[in-house]
Amino acid sequence: MRGEMRREALLQYLRVREHATVDELVGQMRVSKMTVHRDLDRLAEQRLVRKIRGGATLATSIVFEGDYAYREQQNRLEKAALAQRMAEMVEPGMAIVLDDSSTAASIIPFLDHKRPLTVITNGLKVIESFRRADEITLICLGGRYDPVAQAFFGLVCEAAVARLRADLAIFSTSAVRGTSAYLHDPDIIRAKLAMKVAAERSVIAFDRSKVGRSALNLFAPLREFDSVLVTEGLAPEIDQALRRDGVRLELVAAGVGH
């Protein structure tokens, strides 16, 4: 198996298992330990995996965010429930911003009856989904492509969105600590903040597993969003703390399918 194909197979194995030992990967890939270590080093350089003692993981840490394909598979029922509620905020004729998150992209199937729409995004999944869609005016924010996030960032992206106006911007986040949202990458934060400024209203949506997690960089206090959607099951003290801080919190029943 060629190196590129082998690394993709290794990455796919980790997406399913989340973490694995070197010995486990040797048996799965049927190659030497040296080859597995080289492949993991290469994937770690690309920020697709995180090497740990004796193996590798895709699980997020305070400084590491799993790749998009991995995140897209996580908590699908919760994302569908959030997406259905987000779609209720969209009306035909609106201009909406969708950020790079898999949660924002989960709204795609729920927009069929909301057309015509203008969709502004830096996320590759959204671009690919709408590039040939009828009654969708697609505005792609360019910039530096990040293969981990499968999205575009940097000065070009930020400058492009600064010249636009939208009715609604939809976001998600990697972590919520206290009453604020956090992310791993400052470039992603700068792009999201530029999108937020460009929109009349903003909503941030995340499943309850994000609450209590940590990430390195502050995105924004949750009270700065017009709506904050979270799947049900928050601890009462967390719910109360968010509401006391002025967060416009809405709990969404998980497991609502499309």
Side-chain angles (χ1 to χ4, degrees):
M1 188 183 297
R2 292 171 50 192
E4 186 175 338
M5 294 175 60
R6 188 179 62 248
R7 285 187 289 274
E8 180 55 38
L10 189 156
L11 192 58
Q12 185 57 41
Y13 183 79
L14 282 170
R15 285 170 182 155
V16 174
R17 300 298 182 95
E18 199 169 276
H19 52 78
T21 66
V22 169
D23 288 340
E24 183 181 347
L25 294 171
V26 166
Q28 178 69 22
M29 307 305 298
R30 298 181 180 179
V31 295
S32 69
K33 282 189 177 182
M34 184 176 295
T35 298
V36 167
H37 277 294
R38 280 201 303 264
D39 286 344
L40 291 177
D41 286 341
R42 180 70 176 274
L43 292 170
E45 288 172 2
Q46 296 173 316
R47 296 189 296 121
L48 292 170
V49 306
R50 179 165 56 99
K51 291 192 74 176
I52 58 176
R53 185 178 179 85
T57 183
L58 286 177
T60 60
S61 72
I62 197 167
V63 295
F64 178 88
E65 175 78 305
D67 81 314
Y68 184 91
Y70 164 72
R71 288 182 282 115
E72 189 176 31
Q73 297 174 13
Q74 307 304 302
N75 304 316
R76 288 188 172 187
L77 287 177
E78 289 82 355
K79 288 175 183 175
L82 293 168
Q84 190 169 24
R85 177 65 187 101
M86 290 187 291
E88 293 173 0
M89 302 179 182
V90 178
E91 298 293 338
M94 289 177 63
I96 64 172
V97 177
L98 299 179
D99 76 355
D100 61 287
S101 66
S102 59
T103 299
S106 66
I107 199 176
I108 292 168
F110 297 93
L111 295 180
D112 285 346
H113 303 296
K114 301 291 184 172
R115 306 179 189 194
L117 286 173
T118 296
V119 176
I120 303 164
T121 188
N122 66 330
L124 185 61
K125 174 66 178 289
V126 179
I127 293 170
E128 290 178 336
S129 297
F130 286 140
R131 64 192 178 95
R132 293 179 180 171
D134 295 331
E135 296 187 284
I136 296 287
T137 300
L138 179 62
I139 299 177
C140 306
L141 304 173
R144 173 187 55 80
Y145 180 67
D146 185 327
V148 178
Q150 294 189 22
F152 300 86
F153 303 102
L155 292 175
V156 174
C157 174
E158 295 159 31
V161 75
R163 299 178 67 87
L164 301 170
R165 294 298 299 167
D167 297 292
L168 178 69
I170 293 174
F171 302 98
S172 190
T173 187
S174 302
V176 172
R177 176 67 68 174
T179 58
S180 295
Y182 289 79
L183 291 160
H184 296 79
D185 191 319
D187 285 346
I188 295 177
I189 291 174
R190 284 191 291 269
K192 288 180 189 277
L193 291 176
M195 294 173 185
K196 190 171 181 298
V197 169
E200 296 295 328
R201 294 187 297 124
S202 61
V203 56
I204 186 168
F206 48 90
D207 67 82
R208 62 174 180 166
S209 71
K210 304 292 179 65
V211 179
R213 288 187 183 179
S214 293
L216 189 61
N217 301 285
L218 174 67
F219 172 20
L222 292 174
R223 64 176 177 273
E224 294 183 359
F225 296 88
D226 295 288
S227 297
V228 177
L229 307 181
V230 190
T231 50
E232 289 181 339
L234 287 181
E237 61 271 19
I238 294 175
D239 184 303
Q240 293 165 13
L242 291 171
R243 296 183 192 277
R244 279 198 306 268
D245 198 53
V247 176
R248 300 172 186 88
L249 184 66
E250 179 179 337
L251 300 180
V252 177
V256 179
H258 172 58

